[in-house]
Amino acid sequence: MAFKTGVAERDEWSYSPTVGVGPLRFGMTIDEVVEAAETLGQTKVSDCARDHAIFSPTWKIEVHRRGVAPSPPAVTAYVSQAVGLFCIAADAVHGPQVAYDGLPLVGRDLSELESDAIAYAEATDVYLRYTPEGYAGPDDPGVLIRGQLVEQDLRSRPLFMVTRDGANTEWDSMPSEEYCVNSQST
């Protein structure tokens, strides 16, 4: 499958459902996430707004690449007091490339990703899944494809997740900060 991301070269991270992405493992504490993310760059930890009382306090860990001028985080990790690391978002421009069974997910033009996801599903006799916004991706409850505006293009910003405390599904677990990327609802 040939594709163009339209972004700079990036590290490649592996994804293991319910386990983690790259050096980040679901269930890690804040300190463990910060230590594991040192390979990519510097981290910044902040509190997340507690929009829903059913969720325990949550922190956002932004990982910025070393040597890159001030820019959005390459990776944003979300850690819940109750369950540890439950969500990892890869930035469409600066994030590592993560593939799902050979299908690159990060920084893709969303229509090209949809075409490739359909071809992948047909070739491997599996299903694909659409988000409520209409973004196509693998039929894996731990992968949510989001859109991120990059200049004039909408690119893929996947979230890799497990269900957090008080939620029924990964979709219910999505941090409220991920509903809006680049100050735009996606």
Side-chain angles (χ1 to χ4, degrees), residues 66-85:
R66 281 190 185 84
V68 176
S71 62
V75 173
T76 304
Y78 296 90
V79 177
S80 163
Q81 182 179 20
V83 297
L85 178 62

Side-chain angles (χ1 to χ4, degrees), residues 1 10 25 28 32 45 47 53 66 69 75 86 89 98 104 110 113 115 132 135 147 160-161 165 168 171:
M1 247 177 269
R10 53 178 84 225
R25 298 289 172 252
M28 287 178 144
E32 291 170 332
V45 179
D47 293 332
R66 281 190 185 84
V75 173
F86 70 93
V98 183
L110 288 166
L113 176 57
S115 294
Y135 307 141
F160 302 94
M161 304 179 62
D165 56 306
N168 295 316
W171 184 260

Side-chain angles (χ1 to χ4, degrees), residues 14-29 32-33 36 76-80 83-89 140-144 159-164 170 173:
S14 62
Y15 165 66
S16 296
T18 70
V19 175
V21 179
L24 304 177
R25 298 289 172 252
F26 297 120
M28 287 178 144
T29 65
E32 291 170 332
V33 170
T76 304
Y78 296 90
V79 177
S80 163
V83 297
L85 178 62
F86 70 93
C87 178
I88 303 158
D140 180 327
V143 179
L144 295 176
L159 306 181
F160 302 94
M161 304 179 62
V162 293
T163 305
R164 71 184 294 185
E170 285 79 1
S173 300

Side-chain angles (χ1 to χ4, degrees), residues 1-5 10-17 21 90 96-130 135-140 143-145 156-160:
M1 247 177 269
F3 74 98
K4 294 180 182 177
T5 62
R10 53 178 84 225
D11 300 329
E12 290 188 23
W13 284 11
S14 62
Y15 165 66
S16 296
V21 179
Q97 184 54 260
V98 183
Y100 182 89
D101 196 23
L103 178 66
L105 299 177
V106 183
R108 305 283 310 276
D109 173 275
L110 288 166
S111 62
E112 289 176 9
L113 176 57
E114 179 181 33
S115 294
D116 287 350
I118 290 169
Y120 166 80
E122 289 173 349
T124 57
D125 198 29
V126 297
Y127 295 102
L128 68 138
R129 182 169 74 149
Y130 284 89
Y135 307 141
D139 186 29
D140 180 327
V143 179
L144 295 176
I145 301 297
S156 59
R157 174 188 173 85
L159 306 181
F160 302 94

